[in-house]
Structures are given as structure tokens and as C-alpha cells.
Amino acid sequence: MATPTTAPSSEGLPPELADATRDETTLRRFLLGLPGVDQVGVEQRAAGLATRSIKKAAKLQAIDMAISMVDLTTLEGADTQGKVRSLCAKARRPDPERPDVPQVAAVCVYPDLVATAVEALDGAPIEVASVATAFPSGRAAKEIKLADVKEAVNAGASEVDMVIDRGAFLSGRYGQVFEEIQAVKAACGEAHLKVILETGELVTYDNVRRASWLALLAGGDFIKTSTGKVSPAATLPVTHVMLQAVHDWHKATGELRGVKPAGGIRDTKTAVRYLVAVNEVAGPRWLDPKLFRFGASSLLNDLLMQRRTQLEGHYSGPDYVTVD
């Protein structure tokens, strides 16, 4: 941070948070001064909450809520316009035989396929998200990353999922990461920004907490666990740390920011565990697609099958839903 700078989100922040973004020294002092994460405590709490059971009526409600929170995603080198159109059709009518099934929150694709998704969704109340900033590595010149963002936004993306430079973060170059998030936020215009931390490469819960706060200070609308290309991807303990960060951010600023676990969440039982964590750690206000998302592809299939099981009393196999 060569010169003092203020994040787009810093207006009206408490003095201690506004001061944290003043320069490289104050930012480092703030991030390194955050309370350490109790590894044993957070893992025990995550494991304890994962054992919670819910009744049948509540389970159906949880399934519908989870469906409405899915960012239905395809991020493969072999993606085609036809695949994206099929994904958008599924996003609009997840179960064609049951029109009461909620639509998903968003469809997430590469920048060059955003226009296809926008056309296929044709004004449906489903967001079009795009990964950007040299996804998934995040290793490219800043100008290239910003061009990536602008391509997606100009094509109609209403949400952008950026990846941070983990090398810079792990080297302690917090100011560089901060300024890059700021620049991407500005390039997003009206589009919401999700900041991917790639928590599987951050090594410690303390780093996850620092990266979460760094992204929030720089103006990220969401903090996201993973690209889905690195193992481990989303985990419950890591998501607990991130949920606590947005809860504490709201307590300090009054601003609501979201969390998106992505990668490895493939079945209904796991999704429900995440919803329990959201309710218990961040609070019930976060049980909303505007503040919590699942980055997933195969998860939707299991949610649909389990929904039919709840309603029909017997298990419906994958032949009854469209499989990606």
C-alpha cells in the first residue's frame, strides 16, 4: 500500500476499522492483532453442531432453503454453450415435474459463457455469477485480472467470484491483496463481489480469520471458501471461522456480508449441517440466499432426490431428476 487508501466499504466504519486500512503498517497490525482461533474449540463445536437432528417438516423446509441457496456451477475446460443452457434450464426448473421446487440462487460460469447464461435465463430472478481474476490460481498481472472482471460484467454478470493471490497473502503482503480486492470491487460496478480465499491453501484457522477480515475491509460482499479445485475445499470448521467473521463484522459495523462454502458439499445431510452452523454461529438472519450460498453442482441432484423422498415416503433414484 504505497499511499493511504480507503476501501469502498470503509465509509462510516468505526474508527478502529477505518484506521486499519490507512496504510500497510496499520493493516498488518490489525490483522496480526486479531484474536487467535482455538483450533480444538472450533473443531469440537463444528462436530457437535453436525450431530443436530431436525424433524421431518423442518427437513423439507431446510431442503427447499438449501435449493434456493445453490450457485449451480460448471467450471470445466470442456464447458460448452449447450451445457450452460442446460444448466440454466435446470436452475429455472430444478425438478420439471414439481413446479413448487424453488429456483436456485445463481448460475456460475466462466466469463466467456456469461452472455449465454444471461440469454438462457431470460430475465428469471436468478443471478449470473462468473469466476474471474485468473481463476483458479489467481496468478496473473493485475491488468489481466481486471480485464477478466470487466469482460464478465460487460457480458451481464451480476456477481463476480474473484480469487485472492494466496502467495502474496502467505508472504505477508497484505496490502497488495487488499488493494487488488479494492480494484476488483471497483471494476465490478453494480455486480456483487465474492472473494475466494482458497482456505485449503491458507494452512491455519488464524490465516482464514485474517483473510476473511482482509476481504471484508476491502469491500467484499461475500467471503467464499474455495475454488473447488483444491483439496481440502469447504469444511465445517473453516466455515465456522468465516461465519464468525461476518457476524463480528455486522456487530462492529451494522453491515451484512455473506459467506459461500464451495467444493465437496455433495449431499443433503452435509448441506443441512451447514445450515445449522449458519443459524448457530452467524444467526438466523444469514439463512437467506442474499447472505449464504452453496457453491455446488452435484448437491442439487441429491437435494431434489431427498425432497421427493420426504414427500413420497420412498427413495427416488437419480433417474427421476436431471443429472449434470
Side-chain angles (χ1 to χ4, degrees):
M1 298 169 72
T3 57
T5 182
T6 303
S9 59
S10 64
E11 293 182 8
L13 291 183
E16 62 272 18
L17 293 183
D19 183 66
T21 67
R22 183 163 46 86
D23 54 39
E24 178 81 43
T25 300
T26 59
L27 182 63
R28 174 180 294 276
R29 183 185 304 125
F30 175 83
L31 294 176
L32 296 180
L34 290 169
V37 178
D38 178 350
Q39 178 176 344
V40 174
V42 74
E43 290 177 354
Q44 286 184 341
R45 189 181 187 198
L49 290 177
T51 65
R52 296 274 184 90
S53 60
I54 58 177
K55 297 180 180 179
K56 182 175 180 179
K59 186 172 183 179
L60 183 58
Q61 182 181 8
I63 289 172
D64 279 357
M65 181 181 293
I67 291 171
S68 75
M69 293 172 167
V70 168
D71 280 9
L72 195 55
T73 302
T74 183
L75 297 170
E76 302 299 333
D79 285 345
T80 64
Q81 291 184 345
K83 183 177 180 180
V84 170
R85 291 190 187 100
S86 295
L87 203 69
C88 290
K90 184 169 183 176
R92 298 180 71 154
R93 290 290 298 273
D95 187 339
E97 295 181 5
R98 294 185 175 275
D100 60 324
V101 175
Q103 295 181 331
V104 303
V107 170
C108 185
V109 296
Y110 278 114
D112 62 312
L113 290 167
V114 166
T116 300
V118 170
E119 181 182 11
L121 290 172
D122 190 27
I126 299 170
E127 305 295 342
V128 175
S130 178
V131 295
T133 65
F135 178 94
S137 70
R139 305 202 69 84
K142 183 177 177 180
E143 293 75 17
I144 294 174
K145 293 181 180 182
L146 294 179
D148 208 20
V149 174
K150 290 173 183 176
E151 178 188 353
V153 172
N154 289 341
S158 54
E159 300 181 350
V160 170
D161 291 29
M162 73 166 287
V163 285
I164 67 167
D165 183 335
R166 283 85 73 191
F169 179 86
L170 292 169
S171 299
R173 302 197 304 273
Y174 301 134
Q176 177 183 331
V177 179
F178 177 87
E179 289 186 339
E180 191 163 273
I181 298 171
Q182 276 193 308
V184 171
K185 175 68 173 176
C188 283
E190 297 298 316
H192 281 197
L193 174 62
K194 305 191 198 88
V195 182
I196 307 173
L197 309 181
E198 198 65 289
T199 53
E201 294 183 342
L202 297 187
V203 184
T204 69
Y205 295 127
D206 285 347
N207 275 340
V208 173
R209 174 170 281 174
R210 291 181 190 123
S212 296
W213 274 91
L214 179 59
L216 295 171
L217 285 166
D221 298 294
F222 267 74
I223 47 177
K224 177 179 172 181
T225 61
S226 324
T227 61
K229 306 297 185 181
V230 170
S231 183
T235 68
L236 273 168
V238 158
T239 305
H240 274 235
V241 174
M242 295 168 66
L243 288 167
Q244 189 65 57
V246 296
H247 171 82
D248 292 345
W249 178 268
H250 175 255
K251 189 175 179 181
T253 68
E255 296 178 356
L256 292 165
R257 307 287 182 87
V259 173
K260 177 180 172 180
I265 305 172
R266 298 185 177 91
D267 57 66
T268 301
K269 182 182 293 186
T270 304
V272 170
R273 288 171 177 169
Y274 276 85
L275 294 181
V276 170
V278 172
N279 186 68
E280 296 296 324
V281 180
R285 294 183 70 172
W286 274 263
L287 290 171
D288 186 316
K290 294 179 181 178
L291 295 171
F292 190 78
R293 301 279 184 84
F294 292 106
S297 52
S298 59
L299 171 61
L300 181 58
N301 296 328
D302 192 69
L303 289 167
L304 294 173
M305 288 188 287
Q306 294 299 330
R307 188 181 193 276
R308 284 182 171 234
T309 300
Q310 292 295 307
L311 292 172
E312 299 170 4
H314 59 84
Y315 182 75
S316 296
D319 291 344
Y320 291 88
V321 298
T322 55
V323 178
D324 303 319

